Amino acid sequence: MTSAKPEHTLAVALRGIVKRFPGVTANDRANLEVRRGEIHALLGENGAGKTSLMNVLYGIYHPDEGEIWVKGRRVTIHSPHDAITLGIGMIHQQFRLVQTHTVLENVILGLRERFFFPEQSARPRILALAEKYGLKVDPDARIWQLSAGEQQRVEILKALYRGVEILIMDEPTSMLTPGEALELLHILRRMTAEGLTVIFITHKLEEVMEVSDRVTVMRAGKSIATLETAQTNVRELAQLMVGRDVLFRLEKKAVTPGAPVLKVENLNVVSDKGLPAVVNLSLEVRAGEILGIAGVSGNGQRELVEAIAGLRPVSGGKILFQGEDVTQTPPRMRIERGIGFVPGERWMALIPSMSVAENMILKNYARPPIGRKVFLDAEAVATHADTLIREYAISTPNRQTPIKRLSGGNIQRALLAREMTERPALLLVAQPTSGLDVGATETIWNLLLEERARGAAVLLISDDLKEAMALSDRLAVLFEGQIMGEFTAQTMDLEKIGLMMAGALRQPTAEPTAGEPA
Amino acid sequence: MPDFVAGLLENLLTILVTVVLAIPAAIRAGTPLLYGTLGEVYAERSGILNLGMEGMMIMGAVSGFAAAQTTGSAALGILTAALVGGLFALIHAFASITLRVNQVVSGLALTMLGLGISSLMGKQFVGQPLAARLQPLEIPVLSNLPIVGELFFQFDLMVYLSIVLVPVLWFFLYKTRLGITLRSVGENPAAADALGVDVTFVRYAAVVFGGMMAGIGGSYLSISYAPAWIEGMTAGAGWIVVALTIFAMWDPSRALLGAYLFGGVRVLQFRLQPLGISPNLLNMLPYLLTILVLWLSSDQAAKRRIGAPAALMTAYAREER
Ligand SMILES: Nc1ncnc2c1ncn2[C@@H]1O[C@H](COP(=O)(O)OP(=O)(O)OP(=O)(O)O)[C@@H](O)[C@H]1O
Ligand SMILES: [Mg+2]
């Protein structure tokens, strides 16, 4: 365990880490050196092995080979417990919080606090830490009552409370609103000012440029390069990651929109909590057109698409698809008529423990060539899966792999592949590129544009304003369930959109003309 | 008007008196259920469903009787029952936690195993009266009160012990460090693991504790309630415990209420029969009540997010995604 080395400036050194899973090598002699007190960005394509490497450092995965050095000492990390003892903390992309417990209970879990009423003895220290780092959160709130941003603060508090020196964050901004993300970056700065070391996994190159001191790029399980952030740029990073130039050039051909495919008239939808989520909303999407919906998440986007997909009852108004009223049509019938749906929450549309092949037939299993009478044609299922895996470049050991084992980007690709291959007349897509690397983002943007060129009507919901603006022919801004204004590709104005997202501006023409409550 | 309703009205007063007089008997009949339920609540709070309850209880009953009869000490009998119940639960723990076998399958196997072994082991004790009886505990003043003393203060130590355990286990679960740990493991083992909690150990401990409680519950039947060994004497009590755990919403304090209610139903089954109430109807009652409670509380439970532990019946492996 001991053997000192003159590497005091290094907080962490990973040398030649190999981690294999059945059919995949997640880490293939990966190296990483992180200096004390720096923010070190870890960059790489989906499935490059970033999360796996960090799980090795945190004791969640046992490496098959390789050395781990922490603060200048060679160590063996058997479990998260060992990692915590070494001053390492990790915040996973999927937060590891007990939803039904309070913030305090989550923070003290696993610690040798006072036996009786342990959470009470922890209160003053938690409040002090929260104060010091600007982590506002009610210590007695239950986790399920908190927003994603607040939950993340609880995760940070958990690490700080244990005296973390090296904090790993896996895609910390992917679930946050732009405002929350900015706040997080400030908090990280404050932590490094106190001497903490931060390892930060992200797909957003601007964040790397903005916040990190150095950056390591991974590809196919290997570390390709470590650079000083000040001496690199977005283009070089993207190029290193993907192994080719990422141009962010979209092949947006001119398409003359056709007939309206979707018409929504004075739609009213209620949220899970029973509150109005969509209010007297009207919109129209034509064939060969992408209508983008921008807005801070939680302003009715989810309820809107779910209502159109038939997964949520409508409390008022009408949904017309290709001229026919489908307001009361069951979801299965809407699928058959040609409505495709990619929800923002992946697991709403995929079954984690089922294989890639099985997930790929969830929509067309009842029809030939897949379904024949009561049986499935195993060969057709296999061919269907293999075709999609090839055409959409889904990286998976094989078609029998449970889909939950794939990396985030590949899960998303698989979902899009299943929906697009049905060639729907209307495609509802929410957050299509959340968690995806720049290469995959580019691919998926082009796939969506191909759908548009084919003549599909696309309704795109995105929290990422850059994405919404890049893809949309028309962009509507949603605030508290109402459309505040609409822009065409030519009239998009970042400042106005921002004001509308905050509810501070409303286009006079966007006032609902009909259905105003009497 | 249906016959049984007419009969019911006619005998309303008699029924009322019968019900009140049945309270002590209900408490006695509810005691093994209470032990079992407290144990199952703990096991399920750690995320492990143990359908071997019936098997563990009957093993407790037979081994408790055997030990008490051969040593002449009721206390040793109860202790043995706890050990045997714990050992039996260990089988389930190993299968469902270490081998990650389906928990339903492993629990059912345990029940069948327990019923089989107990009937084999108990052959020699059938028909023997227990020599080492548990005496009612004399409580100064209270036990001598007229009526009230008769009704509520003539129980033996095992009854009082189970009642004392209710607040103790409630307090442990909600107000102590280990209680928070236990509940966290049942809700989100990955979260607990990431903070260095030994998920496997916590689950083993909870399941074994559940088995020990089941064993004690079973031994109450053969050492105090009967007191004798009768083959198959748990008569489905283990299954009622499984339903009771749900009825109690995985909360020790509600387990007390449920156990006496269900115990009461068991007793009234016999006492109300002469008054024209079908025992089959009463037999269904525990299960109907469970469904009713689930239905009534589901809305409130969903709002406050109480209910089944989120990770109930899911095995955990650190490297698994
Ligand atoms: N527990 C596991 N079981 C099986 N395969 C796994 C497991 N964890 C990771 N893998 C595989 O290892 C590879 C690397 O995955 P990893 O999650 O480390 O990628 P990543 O760089 O974090 O990607 P993303 O940006 O999509 O999160 C992937 O092919 C993934 O399928
Ligand atoms: Mg990852």
Side-chain angles (χ1 to χ4, degrees):
Chain A
M1 279 278 286
T2 44
S3 129
K5 264 199 124 191
E7 290 190 328
H8 296 309
T9 54
L10 285 188
V12 172
L14 299 172
R15 306 245 156 88
I17 301 290
V18 176
K19 178 64 196 171
R20 296 188 197 91
F21 288 104
V24 239
T25 305
N27 293 132
D28 187 4
R29 271 163 289 143
N31 299 310
L32 177 69
E33 289 194 345
V34 182
R35 291 183 193 144
R36 281 192 187 188
E38 73 173 346
I39 297 185
H40 195 108
L42 196 53
L43 208 57
E45 283 183 286
N46 293 123
K50 306 176 295 291
T51 301
S52 298
L53 190 64
M54 291 302 100
N55 276 337
V56 165
L57 177 57
Y58 194 59
I60 289 189
Y61 291 171
H62 283 278
D64 296 304
E65 288 170 36
E67 294 178 3
I68 304 174
W69 295 73
V70 176
K71 294 178 269 179
R73 289 197 313 155
R74 169 103 191 254
V75 295
T76 338
I77 300 176
H78 294 288
S79 67
H81 183 81
D82 291 350
I84 293 168
T85 313
L86 287 166
I88 303 171
M90 178 161 177
I91 301 177
H92 289 85
Q93 198 178 356
Q94 296 261 267
F95 297 144
R96 298 198 173 194
L97 295 167
V98 182
Q99 294 289 320
T100 48
H101 288 189
T102 64
V103 171
L104 282 173
E105 286 174 325
N106 270 280
V107 172
I108 54 110
L109 175 59
L111 285 176
R112 297 240 171 278
E113 289 287 325
R114 201 168 62 180
F115 187 78
F116 296 110
F117 302 102
E119 73 279 11
Q120 299 312 331
S121 73
R123 184 187 296 272
R125 247 193 85 201
I126 291 175
L127 290 175
L129 281 172
E131 175 75 43
K132 181 170 169 192
Y133 292 99
L135 296 159
K136 269 191 297 308
V137 60
D138 172 8
D140 297 306
R142 297 197 178 268
I143 300 299
W144 59 266
Q145 300 170 318
L146 304 178
S147 71
E150 289 171 308
Q151 295 193 16
Q152 186 174 59
R153 278 176 235 154
V154 180
E155 286 279 22
I156 297 175
L157 278 173
K158 271 163 64 178
L160 289 173
Y161 194 85
R162 284 162 179 74
V164 68
E165 294 167 57
I166 301 153
L167 181 63
I168 306 162
M169 300 189 89
D170 196 352
E171 298 190 35
T173 56
S174 63
M175 312 247 296
L176 304 185
T177 64
E180 286 175 327
L182 202 66
E183 205 174 317
L184 173 71
L185 299 187
H186 286 311
I187 292 167
L188 291 188
R189 276 275 167 237
R190 211 177 301 182
M191 295 197 318
T192 47
E194 296 278 333
L196 258 79
T197 308
V198 176
I199 307 175
F200 184 100
I201 301 178
T202 184
H203 288 299
K204 298 181 186 158
L205 297 173
E206 304 79 49
E207 277 174 14
V208 175
M209 298 310 296
E210 195 175 334
V211 78
S212 73
D213 300 301
R214 295 198 306 155
V215 45
T216 294
V217 181
M218 290 187 71
R219 198 197 306 160
K222 297 187 174 66
S223 359
I224 300 291
T226 299
L227 306 164
E228 299 280 340
T229 309
Q231 281 153 33
T232 184
N233 56 54
V234 169
R235 235 192 105 185
E236 185 187 17
L237 290 175
Q239 208 271 336
L240 277 170
M241 256 174 78
V242 187
R244 64 175 162 89
D245 257 329
V246 181
L247 301 169
F248 293 108
R249 194 193 295 131
L250 299 177
E251 292 180 36
K252 200 166 173 181
K253 297 194 198 87
V255 177
T256 327
V261 174
L262 172 73
K263 254 188 165 165
V264 170
E265 292 172 1
N266 295 318
L267 191 70
N268 283 283
V269 187
V270 169
S271 74
D272 287 340
K273 291 187 184 130
L275 303 170
V278 174
V279 184
N280 283 333
L281 182 142
S282 299
L283 59 77
E284 184 181 284
V285 196
R286 287 171 293 171
E289 174 184 62
I290 298 182
L291 173 66
I293 305 273
V296 177
S297 63
N299 273 287
Q301 291 96 325
R302 178 177 167 183
E303 288 82 0
L304 173 64
V305 277
E306 286 182 7
I308 299 171
L311 302 176
R312 188 177 279 276
V314 163
S315 55
K318 259 199 248 175
I319 299 167
L320 301 169
F321 176 64
Q322 294 176 329
E324 277 178 64
D325 190 338
V326 293
T327 318
Q328 302 301 331
T329 309
R332 178 89 238 167
M333 297 288 293
R334 297 194 207 199
I335 293 168
E336 296 303 332
R337 288 200 191 173
I339 298 184
F341 180 35
V342 178
E345 166 58 53
R346 282 169 199 143
W347 300 122
M348 205 173 139
L350 295 167
I351 301 170
S353 55
M354 277 179 21
S355 72
V356 174
E358 286 167 327
N359 272 288
M360 289 304 95
I361 60 162
L362 287 182
K363 288 240 157 128
N364 60 358
Y365 68 89
R367 292 191 297 266
I370 306 291
R372 294 189 185 282
K373 304 238 170 64
V374 297
F375 296 106
L376 289 176
D377 183 334
E379 217 162 290
V381 172
T383 325
H384 181 67
D386 288 341
T387 312
L388 292 185
I389 288 170
R390 188 162 15 87
E391 278 179 12
Y392 292 85
I394 302 163
S395 160
T396 170
N398 55 56
R399 61 171 180 269
Q400 266 110 29
T401 307
I403 200 156
K404 67 179 173 186
R405 295 236 184 106
L406 306 197
S407 80
N410 284 298
I411 294 170
Q412 184 73 355
R413 259 187 231 218
L415 175 55
L416 274 159
R418 183 186 77 200
E419 296 302 316
M420 287 181 178
T421 194
E422 294 277 295
R423 306 179 70 76
L426 170 65
L427 187 58
L428 309 167
V429 206
Q431 325 299 354
T433 59
S434 95
L436 296 203
D437 65 53
V438 284
T441 300
E442 195 188 45
T443 312
I444 280 170
W445 284 2
N446 281 317
L447 283 173
L448 287 172
L449 289 175
E450 271 171 38
E451 287 298 291
R452 163 182 174 267
R454 176 175 69 76
V458 180
L459 181 65
L460 168 75
I461 307 273
S462 182
D463 292 350
D464 180 354
L465 198 52
K466 220 179 70 191
E467 171 172 88
M469 289 174 71
L471 291 177
S472 307
D473 295 299
R474 287 184 299 126
L475 183 70
V477 184
L478 199 62
F479 175 75
E480 292 188 344
Q482 305 189 35
I483 291 180
M484 304 300 282
E486 207 185 279
F487 301 86
T488 64
Q490 288 73 40
T491 61
M492 280 181 206
D493 175 337
L494 196 55
E495 195 183 333
K496 275 191 191 161
I497 295 174
L499 285 172
M500 286 179 180
M501 281 171 68
L505 179 69
R506 185 166 193 159
Q507 236 171 37
T509 50
E511 291 285 351
T513 47
E516 199 81 63
Chain B
M1 206 187 302
D3 275 356
F4 77 89
V5 177
L8 210 114
L9 288 176
E10 227 169 84
N11 295 317
L12 202 61
L13 191 70
T14 335
I15 289 172
L16 263 177
V17 173
T18 314
V19 168
V20 172
L21 290 178
I23 289 175
I27 291 177
R28 282 198 188 92
T31 297
L33 301 179
L34 182 55
Y35 277 111
T37 307
L38 290 173
E40 184 71 10
V41 163
Y42 264 55
E44 293 193 15
R45 280 291 189 157
S46 83
I48 307 291
L49 174 77
N50 192 350
L51 294 184
M53 196 36 79
E54 178 83 359
M56 298 186 303
M57 285 182 80
I58 197 126
M59 282 307 290
V62 74
S63 62
F65 185 88
Q69 190 73 317
T70 42
T71 63
S73 153
L76 273 180
I78 297 164
L79 207 68
T80 309
L83 283 177
V84 168
L87 274 175
F88 234 63
L90 205 56
I91 302 174
H92 181 62
F94 182 70
S96 61
I97 303 167
T98 305
L99 301 181
R100 314 208 293 134
V101 169
N102 181 309
Q103 295 177 14
V104 171
V105 174
S106 153
L108 287 176
L110 202 66
T111 284
M112 288 189 264
L113 192 69
L115 290 171
I117 296 181
S118 67
S119 99
L120 201 69
M121 265 179 63
K123 280 260 161 23
Q124 47 177 317
F125 299 107
V126 174
Q128 292 184 16
L130 183 67
R133 296 239 178 139
L134 273 179
Q135 296 304 320
L137 208 66
E138 189 75 18
I139 299 177
V141 190
L142 293 179
S143 298
N144 300 323
L145 290 176
I147 307 177
V148 178
E150 286 277 294
L151 279 179
F152 295 108
F153 298 102
Q154 298 295 331
F155 302 116
D156 59 39
L157 187 68
M158 285 186 87
V159 174
Y160 295 121
L161 178 70
S162 67
I163 295 172
V164 170
L165 274 174
V166 171
V168 169
L169 290 178
W170 181 89
F171 188 83
F172 182 89
L173 194 58
Y174 290 105
K175 304 291 172 195
T176 71
R177 190 179 74 212
L178 294 182
I180 293 174
T181 307
L182 174 66
R183 285 185 290 131
S184 299
V185 165
E187 290 287 335
N188 188 346
D193 185 35
L195 292 181
V197 172
D198 189 339
V199 172
T200 305
F201 176 78
V202 170
R203 289 188 157 180
Y204 262 86
V207 171
V208 169
F209 174 76
M212 293 174 75
M213 293 292 281
I216 297 175
S219 74
Y220 178 82
L221 287 171
S222 63
I223 292 177
S224 168
Y225 194 74
W229 163 251
I230 305 156
E231 194 177 316
M233 74 185 301
T234 46
W239 295 111
I240 294 190
V241 163
V242 173
L244 252 174
T245 306
I246 302 168
F247 178 94
M249 292 274 172
W250 296 269
D251 184 325
S253 59
R254 289 179 64 155
L256 182 82
L257 180 82
Y260 292 164
L261 201 66
F262 286 25
V265 168
R266 282 200 134 190
V267 170
L268 290 178
Q269 213 170 293
F270 301 106
R271 300 202 179 175
L272 291 183
Q273 207 168 346
L275 303 174
I277 295 178
S278 151
N280 295 332
L281 193 75
L282 285 162
N283 239 340
M284 280 164 32
L285 225 55
Y287 303 101
L288 280 178
L289 276 175
T290 303
I291 294 172
L292 195 73
V293 164
L294 280 180
W295 178 53
L296 290 178
S297 56
S298 66
D299 194 40
Q300 179 215 12
K303 279 203 189 97
R304 292 176 42 214
R305 308 274 167 119
I306 49 172
L312 186 61
M313 294 181 71
T314 45
Y316 177 70
R318 184 180 287 158
E319 295 216 356
E320 190 94 330
R321 283 223 215 224

